Amino acid sequence: MTKIFVIYTGGTIGMIRDPDTGVLIPFTFEQIIENVPELRRMDYELTVHSFDPIIDSSDMTPDIWAELAILIENNYEDHDGFLILHGSDTMAFTASALSFMLEGLGKPVIFTGSQLPISEVRTDAKENFITALEIASAKLDGKPRVPEVCIYFENKLYRGNRTFKYNSAKFEAFRSPNYPVLVEAGVHIKYNDAVIGKLENSILRVHTNVSNNIGVLKLYPGISPQIVDAVLNSDAEAIIMESFGTGNTTTAKWFLEKIEAAIANGKIILDISQCKVGSVEMGRYATSSALKSMGVLNGYDMTFEAAVTKLMYLLGRNYPKDRLLRRLGTSIRGELTKN
Ligand code: ASP
């Protein structure tokens, strides 16, 4: 029998509406199972680890990412796959973080949740839960078919570190515009095997040390020197600069001088775009070629979530700086495509 390790962290999926106040309050995992009687008809052996207390994913922290990574490591040999029930708000951050922390992953780690509680008549939770379980247990030629950290939501399985939550109102809450959907579930579950990452004879190595010593500089026309200084002169070792279009910024002299000085003082500056589709192309316009020659790093088509968690992971590895910079600009878990 296929053995799946289920981790219940919380989120809307496990909430019930208090009949008196209308407020959503958490369910236990047993109550979840009562709401999905179909599970009893499925041929899986589920081992369940429930967080206590269960949390809204807005309270997620790097320490909890580490707890999840260790749970997976400790139960890796005995299980065919992992299913993590998680709130959708920060699911893309946790999935991205785990993709980096679980080096050499050879089994599925599937995140899912829902927009409506599992107890509600119109819930999207049941389908998400049941199909995610099916994908977590899928095999091809006797091997796990999707040995990646993924998010399953509303009929689609996405690579976790390519995904972001884009809609808080629709059941289709996630998108992954820069990487194809890995699996699509309709009448049949269609696996897009050509785009699913596979490692030959991989050995799992778990890295739980991550550093949150990063900052974010989101640009907008009219940004003041004081705001730029506040980020660049902070203690952060690395700064994600959310730029315009293909990685462009203002060419104002004061701005470029501040960026140059920050890099000279040892700061790492990673350029990602505010656009959700497409990639940073440093040097395409004059506005980004100056940045390139100063040593601003190209974040290519990484999501904000992947950029944050990749930096946290790489800083936590304590690599020498040149190695860290090389890895930042290279795909290490399928999180970016170079143009
Ligand atoms: N606030 C909830 C959470 O992220 C929303 C959800 O589960 O969709 O935990």
Side-chain angles (χ1 to χ4, degrees):
M1 214 195 283
T2 310
K3 290 181 171 179
I4 305 292
F5 194 80
V6 181
I7 307 174
Y8 173 39
T9 69
T12 302
I13 189 165
M15 301 270 171
I16 186 164
R17 211 171 285 281
D18 184 300
D20 300 325
T21 62
V23 170
L24 291 175
I25 49 172
F27 247 21
T28 62
F29 190 78
E30 289 67 38
Q31 289 168 302
I32 292 189
I33 297 278
E34 276 168 31
N35 277 271
V36 197
E38 294 85 349
L39 285 175
R40 299 213 168 83
R41 284 195 277 135
M42 294 172 87
D43 219 11
Y44 301 127
E45 191 179 315
L46 303 185
T47 314
V48 179
H49 177 97
S50 193
F51 273 30
D52 186 18
I54 60 167
I55 60 165
D56 186 291
S57 77
S58 302
D59 281 323
M60 197 43 76
T61 63
D63 285 344
I64 309 179
W65 298 341
E67 196 179 324
L68 289 171
I70 291 167
L71 273 170
I72 291 169
E73 182 175 38
N74 291 344
N75 293 285
Y76 194 70
E77 285 312 317
D78 297 342
H79 292 86
D80 299 287
F82 296 81
L83 179 67
I84 305 183
L85 302 177
H86 191 293
S88 62
D89 289 352
T90 65
M91 189 184 285
F93 285 94
T94 308
S96 299
L98 283 189
S99 76
F100 297 115
M101 294 161 90
L102 303 175
E103 184 183 0
L105 182 71
K107 295 185 179 182
V109 174
I110 314 289
F111 280 80
T112 198
S114 66
Q115 294 282 59
L116 278 179
I118 206 153
S119 55
E120 297 208 355
V121 177
R122 290 182 51 250
T123 188
D124 52 330
K126 284 190 193 186
E127 198 284 324
N128 285 350
F129 190 171
I130 289 170
T131 308
L133 257 181
E134 196 145 341
I135 294 170
S137 60
K139 297 257 164 78
L140 184 66
D141 302 328
K143 293 187 184 146
R145 192 155 188 180
V146 191
E148 288 208 34
V149 180
C150 305
I151 289 180
Y152 180 76
F153 228 88
E154 187 65 2
N155 304 326
K156 293 191 178 84
L157 184 82
Y158 308 94
R159 175 170 293 168
N161 60 29
R162 291 293 196 146
T163 309
F164 58 90
K165 183 172 180 181
Y166 94 107
N167 202 316
S168 60
K170 283 192 175 178
F171 287 148
E172 192 203 345
F174 290 90
R175 289 239 163 128
S176 149
N178 287 329
Y179 199 76
V181 167
L182 307 184
V183 177
E184 199 152 354
V187 173
H188 301 287
I189 299 184
K190 287 202 171 145
Y191 291 85
N192 190 359
D193 290 306
V195 299
I196 297 174
K198 295 215 169 61
L199 301 171
E200 283 306 314
N201 307 319
S202 57
I203 294 173
L204 180 70
R205 290 179 59 211
V206 175
H207 307 279
T208 54
N209 191 33
V210 297
S211 163
N212 66 357
N213 198 12
I214 63 165
V216 177
L217 179 63
K218 183 161 186 159
L219 300 181
Y220 47 90
I223 193 167
S224 69
Q226 290 81 352
I227 294 295
V228 173
D229 276 339
V231 181
L232 294 183
N233 298 339
S234 68
D235 287 340
E237 270 177 86
I239 289 155
I240 297 169
M241 183 172 72
E242 282 195 90
S243 59
F244 309 122
T246 52
N248 307 314
T249 67
T250 170
T251 49
K253 197 162 166 277
W254 67 263
F255 178 81
L256 295 177
E257 280 172 3
K258 284 183 190 300
I259 297 283
E260 191 164 26
I263 293 173
N265 286 333
K267 292 265 191 263
I268 295 166
I269 301 188
L270 180 67
D271 188 358
I272 64 166
S273 177
Q274 291 175 25
C275 294
K276 296 293 191 186
V277 189
S279 184
V280 165
E281 292 178 62
M282 296 195 79
R284 179 175 165 92
Y285 291 91
T287 43
S288 66
S289 64
L291 300 169
K292 189 178 179 186
S293 47
M294 279 172 204
V296 171
L297 297 162
N298 192 334
Y300 298 97
D301 58 352
M302 261 191 287
T303 59
F304 177 67
E305 289 81 346
V308 166
T309 55
K310 185 175 183 182
L311 269 175
M312 286 183 165
Y313 162 76
L314 290 177
L315 291 173
R317 293 293 304 265
N318 293 316
Y319 288 128
K321 193 162 174 191
D322 57 338
R323 176 138 192 239
L324 186 151
L325 298 185
R326 267 200 317 277
R327 301 210 82 201
L328 202 50
T330 311
S331 170
I332 58 173
R333 305 280 191 274
E335 74 282 4
L336 63 83
T337 307
K338 290 199 177 186
N339 37 39

